Amino acid sequence: TQLLEQSPQFLSIQEGENLTVYCNSSSVFSSLQWYRQEPGEGPVLLVTVVTGGEVKKLKRLTFQFGDARKDSSLHITAAQPGDTGLYLCAGPPAFRGAQKLVFGQGTRLTINP
Amino acid sequence: GAGVSQSPSNKVTEKGKDVELRCDPISGHTALYWYRQSLGQGLEFLIYFQGNSAPDKSGLPSDRFSAERTGGSVSTLTIQRTQQEDSAVYLCASSLDLNTEAFFGQGTRLTVV
């Protein structure tokens, strides 16, 4: 059972379209991180959201942390082929005894020219 | 170096042989993770080291897999009697602590023939 569930698992859209991917849990997280992994590389951090309800923007990418700190979303406006990659959410669970960063299984995004 | 370094970058081995994969984390990072990533898939957690605490080995798929971290720095993942299903990219990551960004190496691509 995944502590962090990402959806959709796969998404293929045309350049210029908008999209949203989701990261959900039944547990509260101290913070949530979003990473992007390109082929042949390790994942690289895009953003960290810490406060419930927080919204952060990175150019055409908008990240939101749910009010209850159990979920997060990533919205991409006017997607471009360079956005193609595996998007991973991760975070340290807030429950007592949680000791490590937990990763979701990822959303594999393909933007077609 | 400034980042997480993994070696070798590629390894081809015959079924039944043992392999050792090495990870040099960022200096000063107390947390170190090993993940496995099969083609087109997300990250599969293997093992986690945090400072001097006992490692979290809950993700190791079988007793053929083991890892150690010497002196709180370099880590080695050992796979004994390799099988074809062990073929994957093995990623190492390190972070300052539980709540901060994980920095990934570029991975070791293991192919068992």
Side-chain angles (χ1 to χ4, degrees), chain A residues 3-4 25 27-32 69 90-103, chain B residues 33 98-99:
Chain A
L3 198 56
L4 282 170
S25 179
S27 298
V28 176
F29 280 74
S30 302
S31 62
L32 271 180
R69 292 187 290 129
F95 55 76
R96 193 172 180 174
Q99 293 182 337
K100 66 179 182 288
L101 204 59
V102 172
F103 277 83
Chain B
Y33 301 80
L98 173 63
N99 293 298

Side-chain angles (χ1 to χ4, degrees), chain B residues 11-58:
Chain B
K11 176 72 176 178
V12 180
T13 190
E14 292 181 351
K15 178 181 173 181
K17 300 283 189 183
D18 298 352
V19 294
E20 284 190 353
L21 312 180
R22 177 186 169 105
C23 173
D24 281 273
I26 293 173
S27 178
H29 281 193
T30 59
L32 187 148
Y33 301 80
W34 281 98
Y35 295 92
R36 181 168 67 177
Q37 188 173 36
S38 300
L39 188 63
Q41 301 299 310
L43 302 182
E44 176 187 3
F45 167 74
L46 296 177
I47 189 168
Y48 168 61
F49 297 90
Q50 173 59 54
N52 296 320
S53 301
D56 178 346
K57 303 180 182 180
S58 60

Side-chain angles (χ1 to χ4, degrees), chain A residues 60-106:
Chain A
R60 293 174 294 98
L61 279 60
T62 301
F63 304 84
Q64 183 162 7
F65 201 9
D67 291 342
R69 292 187 290 129
K70 292 182 177 182
D71 53 83
S72 182
S73 63
L74 159 59
H75 182 79
I76 302 179
T77 303
Q80 299 178 1
D83 296 328
T84 293
L86 178 67
Y87 288 81
L88 295 156
C89 65
F95 55 76
R96 193 172 180 174
Q99 293 182 337
K100 66 179 182 288
L101 204 59
V102 172
F103 277 83
Q105 282 298 94

Side-chain angles (χ1 to χ4, degrees), chain A residues 8-86:
Chain A
Q9 290 187 40
F10 300 93
L11 184 59
S12 180
I13 63 171
Q14 294 300 119
E15 180 177 2
E17 294 183 0
N18 301 333
L19 66 108
T20 303
V21 298
Y22 300 92
C23 174
N24 295 306
S25 179
S26 57
S27 298
V28 176
F29 280 74
S30 302
S31 62
L32 271 180
Q33 303 167 3
W34 284 91
Y35 294 77
R36 180 169 65 207
Q37 184 182 24
E38 299 183 11
E41 303 290 329
V44 175
L45 182 71
L46 296 173
V47 78
T48 302
V49 284
V50 180
T51 308
E54 181 176 4
V55 177
K56 281 193 174 178
K57 293 193 174 184
L58 190 65
K59 297 183 181 178
R60 293 174 294 98
L61 279 60
T62 301
F63 304 84
Q64 183 162 7
F65 201 9
D67 291 342
R69 292 187 290 129
K70 292 182 177 182
D71 53 83
S72 182
S73 63
L74 159 59
H75 182 79
I76 302 179
T77 303
Q80 299 178 1
D83 296 328
T84 293
L86 178 67

